[in-house]
Amino acid sequence: MSFKIRLTLMFSAVFILFQTLTVIVNDYAMRVNLNREAEKLLRSIAARAADAAARHLQPERGPDEAFTVPDPDELIRSVQSLHLNILEIAVFRLSEADLSGPAAGLGAGLLYGRYDRSVEPTDREDLENAMRSGEVFRSVGHDGKSILIGSFGFPGSGPLAVRIAADMSDMYGMIRDARNDQIALSAVLLLAAIVVSYGIARMTIRPLRHILGKVDEVASGRFDTPLAVNRRDETGQLAERINAMAKNLDVYMTKLKKAFEENRSMKEHLESIINHTTDAIHIEDVNGVLLRVNPAFEQLFGWSAEEAVGRRLPIVPESRLNEEREAREALLAGQMLPARETVRRRKDGTCIEVSVTTSAIRDRNGVIQAFASITRDMTNRKRMDELLRRSEKLNTVGQLAAGVAHEIRNPLTTLRGFLQLQQQTNKLNQRHIDIMLSELDRINLIVSEFLILAKPQATKFRVQDVRFILGDVISLLDSQAHLCNIVFNTAFDSEPCRVSCEENHLKQVFINVLKNAIEAMPKGGDIDIEVRKRPDWIVITIRDHGVGISEDMIPKLGDPFVTSKETGTGLGIMISQRIIQSHQGTMEISSKVGKGTTVTINLPAARPEEQAAESASETALAAGQREDGQATETAGSQ
Ligand code: ADP
Ligand code: MG
């Protein structure tokens, strides 16, 4: 049932209830009023009748003196106004005895009037009661008529009793007519009320209908047309709120659509990356059961996605199980793992060298749900690396060979020239011999520098304190420095500065750098030497105040045979850099022409466990190593 009809029905029901109540109350009030009026009238008639009767009974009056009725005009007027039809008036004369004895019939006492409609025994009872209390009224039905009987007692005069019967049917008929009129009027009013309330309901509902239509639109996802708000009442406010709501929904909907679109394209992106990357990607749960693999995984390992998903595959060879377990534990402990170079097994049982990066996938609460691994086939990379290394080696060898050939041919040409001269002259010239010897020394120097590079690297790394190694080198070079007016200023850290190193090679580095510094200061001066311990590094700084290195030469430092000195080999820095590299360290040279040069060497500090392992043997070996070191230094300083 629509709201409109419901509202109308509600209106009508209220109206009917109200009208019914009105009719009932009216009817009742009218009856009561008319009854009261009728009673009043009867009372006054009775009083006059009794009065007349009493006078009639007086001895001085003749019996012919008629009983005077009340003023007929007045009576008629009042009776007309009440629609009252007086049927009988009877005046009784009652003695005490008449009243008490049942044998005394009412008829016997009738003094005057008519008494046709007797109602026994109530009549006598009413009269007796009226004698006591003044008056008694009784309504009775008689021949289909409503009759009001009034009994009045006048104990003072006679005693007399008056009984009046009046037909009330007309009066009640009038009341009924009035009621019927009212009901008819009510029906008309009801009809009008229905029409009006229907109209009101329609008017009230119309804006609601618009709002409903709008809500329907919003429900089906259309937000563009706002409701026209042209009233300030509740419906107007409702329309306003709904407009605001639709606008908000529109904004949120647009945002949502955008986010959804972004999400979708992001997902597609990721999917396409996962599916098209050449790296094998697989996701497994915490129990190692595969959840997803990409095409590259299928290609690398040989298992198809259908075979792999939902199973645990033996891709980790037995020899690597421990390593894998440790990695998992580290991940579960919340660590991030760097890429691991390891070995994996394919479906056909062959092993491949791979680089694996594994990361944990966590849920919203940070609990690890799965592991994602990216596996890269390193077989080709390894091969490439090896090729590169070899070609680099060949390149270096070629470069060196050319340089060596050039460097050695010059002194050899000199030697050959002098020897030829001697062959021709057959004389041994002392000056020529000196030159020949110095040329041979030069050849020896170049060759001995090369030996460090060429020597098969049967190196033995030990944990040593850099301060001691550098101290040895300084005391070795001290006399030479003294000759050149050079002073070494040392500032060594008070803490041990231990590194894992090959002592003789490190000495070679310090000798090369310090010799360069000495050679850069022909007029003498200070060389500052510093050793500092940093948390993971030992930093060695050697600073001179010499001639410096020109800017265009700095990038070339480290290439073989790059020298600015007449007798230089241009090998010292190259060799030093190689040695520092083999110690996992770095060597930096900064310089300003005319101001000086600073060489900074960083070496990784020895880890505690390395130190512990070495410390026992260290003391015992120290003496022997020192001797070796001195031997090398003498060779290097020649
Ligand atoms: P060499 O000392 O035999 O020339 P190096 O490799 O030791 O070979 O040095 C290469 C060049 O770098 C030197 O010739 C010199 O020009 C420059 N050089 C190196 N160290 C210094 C320094 N401390 N001060 C000025 N120049 C330097
Ligand atoms: Mg040098």
Side-chain angles (χ1 to χ4, degrees), residues 376-546:
R376 177 169 288 185
D377 185 357
M378 297 298 274
T379 329
N380 282 340
R381 253 284 294 282
K382 282 265 156 79
R383 208 179 298 145
M384 285 288 283
D385 277 0
E386 181 59 28
L387 271 176
L388 213 67
R389 217 167 50 78
R390 266 192 219 161
S391 73
E392 202 176 72
K393 214 160 150 187
L394 282 176
N395 191 23
T396 316
V397 168
Q399 223 176 356
L400 284 176
V404 169
H406 183 256
E407 289 296 312
I408 291 179
R409 203 160 62 185
N410 286 346
L412 281 180
T413 314
T414 318
L415 280 175
R416 191 177 189 284
F418 281 123
L419 281 176
Q420 219 170 6
L421 198 69
Q422 278 174 20
Q423 197 183 33
Q424 283 166 9
T425 58
N426 231 347
K427 257 199 275 170
L428 214 59
N429 186 326
Q430 188 55 43
R431 214 169 57 86
H432 288 175
I433 290 172
D434 285 346
I435 294 173
M436 283 163 74
L437 277 177
S438 90
E439 290 299 313
L440 278 172
D441 280 348
R442 182 163 172 75
I443 292 172
N444 189 27
L445 174 68
I446 292 170
V447 170
S448 66
E449 296 238 40
F450 261 110
L451 277 180
I452 286 192
L453 282 187
K455 219 191 269 172
Q457 302 291 303
T459 48
K460 179 96 177 92
F461 277 68
R462 292 224 160 76
V463 173
Q464 306 270 343
D465 195 324
V466 175
R467 296 175 302 172
F468 298 149
I469 300 175
L470 199 53
D472 285 352
V473 174
I474 288 168
S475 46
L476 182 80
L477 294 179
D478 221 19
S479 50
Q480 194 188 342
H482 202 69
L483 283 177
C484 310
N485 270 337
I486 282 169
V487 181
F488 291 129
N489 293 324
T490 54
F492 289 175
D493 207 303
S494 54
E495 274 185 65
C497 300
R498 293 165 185 277
V499 294
S500 171
C501 65
E502 161 64 54
E503 189 184 5
N504 288 337
H505 285 182
L506 220 50
K507 275 186 179 163
Q508 185 65 57
V509 172
F510 295 146
I511 289 167
N512 287 350
V513 175
L514 283 173
K515 269 180 69 190
N516 279 348
I518 293 171
E519 284 159 11
M521 294 199 293
K523 289 178 195 147
D526 285 1
I527 295 177
D528 307 321
I529 305 163
E530 225 180 75
V531 180
R532 292 271 167 247
K533 170 143 175 41
R534 299 269 174 273
D536 293 325
W537 296 90
I538 306 298
V539 183
I540 302 122
T541 318
I542 295 167
R543 185 180 300 115
D544 67 57
H545 305 279

Side-chain angles (χ1 to χ4, degrees), residues 38 128 183 200 232 244 259 378 402 479 492 504 552 571 636:
E128 280 169 9
I183 287 175
I200 291 175
R232 302 287 333 146
M378 297 298 274
S479 50
F492 289 175
N504 288 337
D552 53 326
L571 292 171

Side-chain angles (χ1 to χ4, degrees), residues 259-278:
F260 177 79
E261 201 43 50
E262 274 170 10
N263 230 331
R264 200 180 57 83
S265 74
M266 174 65 86
K267 203 176 157 212
E268 271 174 13
H269 253 92
L270 286 178
E271 284 288 329
S272 107
I273 290 172
I274 289 174
N275 288 334
H276 295 107
T277 179
T278 49

